[in-house]
Amino acid sequence: MATSINSSALGWKHSSFFVQSNNGFNVASPPFKPKPPRSSNFSLYCSAASSSSDPLLVKAARGDPVSRPPAWMMRQAGRYMAVYKNLAEKYPSFRERSETTELIVEISLQPWKAFRPDGVIIFSDILTPLPAFGVDFDIEEVRGPVIHSPIHSEEGLKVLHPIDLDRLKFVGDSLKILRREVGGHAAVLGFVGAPWTIATYIVEGGTTRTYTTIKSMCHTAPHVLRTLLSHLTQAIADYAIFQVESGAHCIQIFDSWGGQLPPEMWECWSKSYIKEIVNLVKKKCPEVPIVLYINGNGGLLERMKDTGVDVIGLDWTVDMADGRRRLGSGISVQGNVDPAYLFSPLDALTEEIQRVVRCAGPRRHILNLGHGVLVGTPEEAVAHFFEVARSLQFETLFQNNTAKDPNLVT
């Protein structure tokens, strides 16, 4: 999503698991103009220390003992839900749905009200902050996100400026309300895109299947690309801190297209910038867990660990037992049920959930899918996923397994 997370609402190949934008969408419905920003006056959640009252997901991310694996789903809000489709008919402009605080909150809470996941992620998109630092874009019905002035040269870099967080006030306001609405019963999740993934859109001008323009730029104009990535790093770090200060318990970084790079190139063109974001966020908000997810990350796990994040999200192509072995017991993992299992018989889904949890071990695991919820997923399967998750107890599940497997985290 790029990935993100509530973006299953859209038919085109969009930028993130959740799609949200800030400026200039080209859609069939009448243009939507967001209300002018008001002055920021948010609570400083960054200063909060670890507490026994923290949500289950936060405890698991930090490695604290928990009785069961917390569970949420990438793209857990979106058009597989009838209630979302009804709302989309009433508000056909995606921009309006994703830039109006009341609608963002309503959509974000739809799966919370229906399934009671342990994490509630804001309905948004990794491209949301672009206009706030100088990159305007549209969303077209067929093409998806479109950047009409891609950056390929030093001249193109001149449009960039420090991020203006006042232009993202609807994000901050939404997180504050979500924090209040879920109370201590679930973690409120914010997210950002990694610099490389964001840069693919800015350089390619939108979605791409080949990434040839930006990959060739690594060799033909490396100074331009590094300047762009450095600017994105600071802007994204500021945006992540803003989300935490507005109420997010946890931040997930989506390097959705990082998996399109060979490992050595990812090390050079993505990892160092992610690591700097983590350092900047941790300096201001040391207790906030950070998750890193890359689609197609089987060849990058050990390198991902070196970014300093607290949690590594595994996609469904990585065997959880192998991932846990490679990463060790000192870092948390998230995932990684194949989203297609939600179309299988419920007994098969139950068995797969239990298998993933056993392979992950009784500590430092957040149960999730290995990618976002697919369009057309039966809502009853999503409900069953969370029912099974709530029924699991580590004490029972691992009472006979710990002695057999020394690699399990105890």
Side-chain angles (χ1 to χ4, degrees):
M1 166 269 304
T3 29
S4 137
I5 289 167
N6 284 352
S7 53
S8 55
L10 300 179
W12 40 262
K13 185 180 179 183
H14 43 78
S15 62
S16 166
F17 285 116
F18 294 88
V19 179
Q20 173 177 322
S21 161
N22 188 45
N23 211 1
F25 290 177
N26 181 9
V27 292
S29 48
F32 166 70
K33 295 183 179 179
K35 298 176 182 178
R38 300 188 298 273
S39 59
S40 298
N41 191 19
F42 39 75
S43 302
L44 295 178
Y45 290 100
C46 278
S47 60
S50 179
S51 168
S52 60
S53 63
D54 287 332
L56 188 69
L57 188 149
V58 175
K59 292 179 180 178
R62 290 174 177 159
D64 298 338
V66 293
S67 60
R68 66 170 179 86
W72 71 283
M73 289 182 180
M74 293 182 284
R75 290 184 186 167
Q76 67 187 13
R79 71 177 186 182
Y80 78 96
M81 296 188 70
V83 65
Y84 177 87
K85 289 185 282 189
N86 292 338
L87 184 143
E89 289 179 0
K90 185 176 180 181
Y91 301 97
S93 164
F94 186 82
R95 183 178 180 187
E96 183 175 8
R97 296 197 299 274
S98 61
E99 290 191 21
T100 304
T101 298
E102 292 79 7
L103 297 179
I104 295 170
V105 171
E106 181 176 352
I107 294 168
S108 302
L109 290 176
Q110 285 173 349
W112 162 248
K113 294 175 179 177
F115 312 120
R116 282 299 194 266
D118 295 299
V120 175
I121 191 162
I122 184 172
F123 183 78
S124 184
D125 187 84
I126 60 172
L127 298 186
T128 295
L130 267 62
F133 54 78
V135 180
D136 291 325
F137 70 98
D138 296 332
I139 289 186
E140 298 182 358
E141 288 293 324
V142 176
R143 294 176 63 191
V146 175
I147 294 172
H148 295 291
S149 299
I151 294 177
H152 299 145
S153 65
E154 292 181 1
E155 184 66 25
L157 292 170
K158 293 180 180 179
V159 303
L160 301 175
H161 57 73
I163 191 167
D164 180 2
L165 295 172
D166 281 344
R167 296 190 64 180
L168 298 166
K169 189 174 185 299
F170 57 90
V171 173
D173 288 346
S174 298
L175 287 166
K176 293 176 198 174
I177 297 171
L178 290 173
R179 181 77 177 248
R180 187 168 64 244
E181 287 292 318
V182 302
H185 301 292
V188 174
L189 308 177
F191 69 91
V192 296
W196 169 264
T197 289
I198 298 296
T200 64
Y201 292 95
I202 295 175
V203 171
E204 300 280 351
T207 56
T208 176
R209 294 180 181 272
T210 60
Y211 307 91
T212 52
T213 304
I214 190 169
K215 285 185 177 183
S216 64
M217 199 172 171
C218 295
H219 309 286
T220 60
H223 60 293
V224 174
L225 184 54
R226 288 200 180 281
T227 301
L228 173 61
L229 291 169
S230 295
H231 187 92
L232 292 174
T233 297
Q234 184 63 59
I236 292 166
D238 290 343
Y239 183 44
I241 292 167
F242 168 72
Q243 291 185 53
V244 175
E245 290 178 329
S246 298
H249 289 96
C250 182
I251 294 291
Q252 179 150 320
I253 301 173
F254 287 97
D255 195 7
S256 307
W257 307 135
Q260 298 294 322
L261 288 170
E264 189 172 331
M265 284 193 70
W266 183 82
E267 187 99 18
C268 179
W269 293 100
S270 186
K271 175 184 166 182
S272 59
Y273 300 98
I274 294 173
K275 195 169 185 176
E276 179 62 15
I277 289 172
V278 173
N279 289 339
L280 290 168
V281 175
K282 288 292 187 180
K283 184 176 181 180
K284 187 74 178 288
C285 311
E287 297 296 332
V288 172
I290 301 176
V291 185
L292 175 58
Y293 175 86
I294 301 176
N295 188 30
N297 61 10
L300 300 172
L301 295 186
E302 293 82 0
R303 289 174 167 87
M304 291 171 69
K305 183 178 179 181
D306 193 43
T307 59
V309 297
D310 304 279
V311 186
I312 300 293
L314 304 181
D315 78 5
W316 80 98
T317 65
V318 178
D319 180 78
M320 177 58 80
D322 182 54
R324 174 58 90 186
R325 254 190 318 270
R326 291 167 59 188
L327 292 168
S329 59
I331 190 167
S332 298
V333 293
Q334 179 174 275
N336 69 335
V337 175
D338 183 347
Y341 263 98
L342 295 170
F343 293 85
S344 302
L346 297 184
D347 287 347
L349 175 59
T350 299
E351 291 176 5
E352 178 62 6
I353 292 170
Q354 293 173 343
R355 184 195 69 80
V356 167
V357 172
R358 287 193 182 98
C359 289
R363 187 177 285 189
R364 292 187 177 274
H365 178 221
I366 299 169
L367 181 63
N368 204 314
L369 302 179
H371 199 271
V373 182
L374 299 172
V375 175
T377 296
E379 290 189 50
E380 55 268 27
V382 176
H384 184 75
F385 180 97
F386 289 113
E387 288 168 3
V388 172
R390 283 189 291 271
S391 73
L392 298 174
Q393 291 295 318
F394 285 142
E395 185 176 3
T396 302
L397 199 60
F398 289 95
Q399 61 183 353
N400 297 321
N401 291 51
T402 306
K404 297 178 184 178
D405 190 348
N407 291 320
L408 291 178
V409 183
T410 58

